[in-house]
Amino acid sequence: METEIRLRVDGQTHEVTVDTRTTVLDALRERLGITSPKKGCDHGQCGSCTVLLDGRRATTCFALAVSYDGAEITTAEGLGEGDELHPVQQAFVDHDALQCGYCTPGQVCSAVGVLREAAQGWPSVVTEVGAEGDISPEALDHDEIAERMSGNLCRCGAYVNIVPAVAAAAEAAGAGR
Ligand code: FES
Ligand code: FES
């Protein structure tokens, strides 16, 4: 069965007819030609398909497109303003944290989501009990960033510069308040 849905992606509205079994990832890649979100595992395990879905990071290989009719989606391509990189993208460049084209777009979207979650005071599983009120992007330490980014995998083990990049973006986000 097919149905028409509307997705707003990186500031552009798209009306698209999809099979009701189509995932958001396939709608983006196969129907709309938006290829920065990648299909790594197609099982919700690697994070390479991560985008910001209605402002929150989400893996799109498990999200049915019909459930997100009317959603606002930001991919790694839509994070910056024109030629200007998003502060998280800039931090990845500055810290040489860019990995391959497969996992990097998801890593970057996830990092943006991490900073938003921290700004909203969301704890992670490594957050000290009772510290909820103290959570903010600039307060995220190595363990917090590593835990919060742990849904984004790379098979090459090339993670070494990701935490410093996210920490720098977190610090910049704090300074910008
Ligand atoms: S492709 Fe979605 S989590 Fe791996
Ligand atoms: S999967 Fe991208 S660098 Fe390893």
Side-chain angles (χ1 to χ4, degrees):
M1 180 183 161
E2 297 203 321
T3 187
E4 184 170 286
I5 61 168
R6 187 174 57 84
L7 297 174
R8 193 162 164 78
V9 189
D10 297 335
Q12 283 202 342
T13 301
H14 303 267
E15 312 271 353
V16 59
T17 301
V18 292
D19 184 286
T20 49
R21 296 164 293 185
T22 304
T23 63
V24 172
L25 180 60
D26 285 342
L28 290 173
R29 290 183 58 84
E30 307 296 334
R31 306 304 308 278
L32 301 179
I34 298 165
T35 53
S36 68
K38 299 296 190 290
K39 186 179 284 191
C41 64
D42 209 17
H43 280 80
Q45 293 174 347
C46 73
S48 66
C49 62
T50 304
V51 302
L52 296 163
L53 198 45
D54 287 331
R56 290 171 56 177
R57 58 185 170 144
T59 46
T60 50
C61 64
F62 260 18
L64 284 178
V66 288
S67 305
Y68 291 93
D69 184 15
E72 179 89 31
I73 294 173
T74 305
T75 73
E77 286 171 63
L79 283 172
E81 304 260 346
D83 286 342
E84 201 163 318
L85 294 177
H86 184 280
V88 167
Q89 293 173 315
Q90 188 61 54
F92 269 62
V93 173
D94 292 345
H95 291 264
D96 197 20
L98 295 164
Q99 307 207 147
C100 75
Y102 244 81
C103 63
T104 298
Q107 302 265 16
V108 167
C109 286
S110 213
V112 173
V114 163
L115 301 190
R116 284 188 186 167
E117 288 156 21
Q120 290 164 2
W122 292 12
S124 79
V125 296
V126 302
T127 304
E128 225 172 284
V129 175
E132 282 86 347
D134 297 330
I135 299 164
S136 62
E138 61 274 35
L140 296 178
D141 62 15
H142 178 286
D143 289 351
E144 279 279 15
I145 294 170
E147 166 58 27
R148 287 171 192 258
M149 292 294 295
S150 64
N152 291 77
L153 304 181
C154 140
R155 287 181 177 83
C156 326
Y159 299 112
V160 69
N161 291 335
I162 298 233
V163 170
V166 178
E171 210 175 298
R177 262 183 233 177

